[in-house]
Amino acid sequence: MEKQSLPKKPRRLGESQLTLPVTDNQFLRCADLILPWLNAPELAAVSLTCKASSFISRSITLRRSLDAARSLENLPVPFLNAVDSKRYADFAYTPFQIPASSSPQPRQRWGGGASDAPASQFEMNVVGESMCGCECERCEEGYCQCLALAAGAEIVNECGSGCGCGSDCPNRVTQKGVLVRLKIVRDEKKGWCLCSDQLIKKDQFICEYAGELLTTDEARRRQTIYDKLRSTQQSFSSALLVIREHLPSGQACLRINIDATSIGNVARFINHSCDGGNLSTVLLRSSGALLPRLCFFAARDIAAGEELSFSYGDVRLTPGESTEKKLNCSCGSSCCFGTLPCENT
């Protein structure tokens, strides 16, 4: 007689083959507290150690790609890449100008879920702002008396923390963070590009250029380092912006160096366009602040999916000058010069 074998009892979810070893379970308990603090190379290295770390690393990478702003803005700003395998750009996020950091890239929690935002060390007021301003106690019916005082002024001013009015004051347009839907899209030639994810009306505020405030000596030191990195790493790009505030006479009276290479906001992804782009730039001060902020507004109606761009400047290398700093321009405009604006910092 042929011997019949009894059917095996089906395994339930969570038994033997799906149960992680005790060591993995212990790792899982603390991994979500540690791994979100790692940068991209470190996270990639940890993902190779075991299946559990690989799973957690992939989930962190996914969360990072869903919001470049780490919940520090009003709306998430996702990364979208159909060009290569790069899921996101690795940098620390700050919505405001901050003093220069002593660390090349300080640690910042990212990808660990809703608890990311409170862990940021960059939630602070605009650098240089003092507690003095207008005496408005409140703004009624969407009007602030400071708007009348600012009409026709050479320098654009907003109410600041020293003013008597509150956060609902209509003269605080740029202080409420990103209020339009944006996305960061990977381009084969340009790399990461900041694009609109909705219709943006003319004169609507987009964002400010946030990053580390540097002295001129520090800006020159860093630019030398960035030039060397670019010569050895083709994919490296810096985001050091030099701004000069001019008097009505046309003479420069103040130089501001903002470096968003390692610490910055979504503005670090705005590319140059030789035709001036679709953004207008405004130097703006909050009442009582010593230093102005560079803010971007829509120069015209911008369609959903359109790349955001502005002109980096007009200074370019002339024949006979060193070509070490020459950067090719891929803006694609009909008046493209072929090279990006460049000057000695």
Side-chain angles (χ1 to χ4, degrees):
M1 175 183 288
E2 184 180 351
K3 184 177 180 181
Q4 295 182 350
S5 59
L6 296 174
K8 293 183 179 180
K9 181 181 177 182
R11 291 175 175 174
R12 292 176 297 176
L13 186 64
E15 289 188 341
S16 61
Q17 80 277 22
L18 296 179
T19 301
L20 292 171
V22 174
T23 53
D24 283 350
N25 282 329
Q26 294 172 339
F27 172 75
L28 287 170
R29 293 190 185 102
C30 62
D32 196 49
L33 298 175
I34 299 173
L35 268 59
W37 291 92
L38 303 183
N39 60 33
E42 292 169 343
L43 189 63
V46 169
S47 69
L48 301 176
T49 58
C50 65
K51 289 183 178 180
S53 62
S54 176
F55 175 80
I56 298 173
S57 298
R58 288 198 303 270
S59 66
I60 290 174
T61 297
L62 174 60
R63 288 196 291 267
R64 288 181 176 182
S65 69
L66 294 177
D67 186 14
R70 294 111 165 111
S71 301
L72 293 173
E73 298 288 1
N74 299 291
L75 300 167
V77 184
F79 289 96
L80 300 175
N81 186 357
V83 174
D84 52 37
S85 60
K86 195 167 186 177
R87 300 293 301 274
Y88 60 90
D90 198 5
F91 68 105
Y93 199 93
T94 174
F96 315 109
Q97 294 176 355
I98 63 169
S101 172
S102 58
S103 172
Q105 184 171 324
R107 297 285 178 181
Q108 186 182 44
R109 181 180 172 87
W110 185 23
S115 58
D116 283 348
S120 171
Q121 65 269 45
F122 301 129
E123 296 183 83
M124 59 184 71
N125 290 329
V126 177
V127 171
E129 191 166 3
S130 60
M131 298 302 291
C132 63
C134 73
E135 297 180 355
C136 305
E137 292 185 1
R138 64 177 183 174
C139 302
E140 298 180 351
E141 298 180 358
Y143 178 78
C144 176
Q145 66 181 23
C146 299
L147 292 172
L149 298 175
E154 292 289 339
I155 301 175
V156 179
N157 287 279
E158 282 190 340
C159 293
S161 60
C163 297
C165 53
S167 59
D168 293 334
C169 172
N171 195 31
R172 295 174 182 261
V173 175
T174 69
Q175 300 172 37
K176 300 173 183 178
V178 176
L179 296 174
V180 294
R181 292 197 306 274
L182 304 171
K183 58 185 177 181
I184 303 167
V185 181
R186 187 75 169 172
D187 181 84
E188 188 173 356
K189 293 182 178 180
K190 302 178 187 179
W192 294 112
C193 310
L194 186 65
C195 299
S196 169
D197 202 23
Q198 68 171 71
L199 172 65
I200 300 176
K201 291 292 186 178
K202 181 181 178 181
D203 296 329
Q204 195 168 353
F205 173 66
I206 308 296
C207 63
E208 71 171 272
Y209 196 92
E212 298 176 85
L213 285 168
L214 309 180
T215 63
T216 297
D217 287 343
E218 177 63 13
R220 289 171 176 163
R221 186 189 73 83
R222 290 195 186 187
Q223 189 59 60
T224 301
I225 296 173
Y226 295 156
D227 288 341
K228 291 180 180 179
L229 287 173
R230 184 171 55 83
S231 65
T232 57
Q233 302 176 27
Q234 189 174 3
S235 61
F236 176 81
S237 61
S238 64
L240 200 167
L241 190 66
V242 177
I243 306 166
R244 289 178 174 85
E245 185 180 11
H246 291 79
L247 294 169
S249 63
Q251 295 182 338
C253 64
L254 180 65
R255 170 182 167 137
I256 307 163
N257 310 284
I258 307 177
D259 189 4
T261 305
S262 297
I263 309 172
N265 69 339
V266 294
R268 72 193 295 277
F269 299 106
I270 304 177
N271 288 318
H272 164 80
S273 181
C274 293
D275 64 5
N278 51 19
L279 299 180
S280 59
T281 57
V282 176
L283 275 179
L284 187 148
R285 273 193 178 90
S286 297
S287 294
L290 173 64
L291 299 178
R293 296 175 292 123
L294 181 66
C295 296
F296 296 99
F297 294 80
R300 56 170 173 79
D301 288 353
I302 301 174
E306 188 175 346
E307 182 185 353
L308 304 180
S309 60
F310 74 107
S311 174
Y312 287 3
D314 299 321
V315 182
R316 298 177 188 275
L317 292 174
T318 57
E321 286 187 283
S322 172
T323 59
E324 291 182 1
K325 294 184 179 182
K326 179 179 177 181
L327 294 172
N328 294 327
C329 179
S330 302
C331 71
S333 67
S334 59
C335 59
C336 181
F337 287 93
T339 59
L340 291 174
C342 180
E343 64 173 316
N344 293 325
T345 56

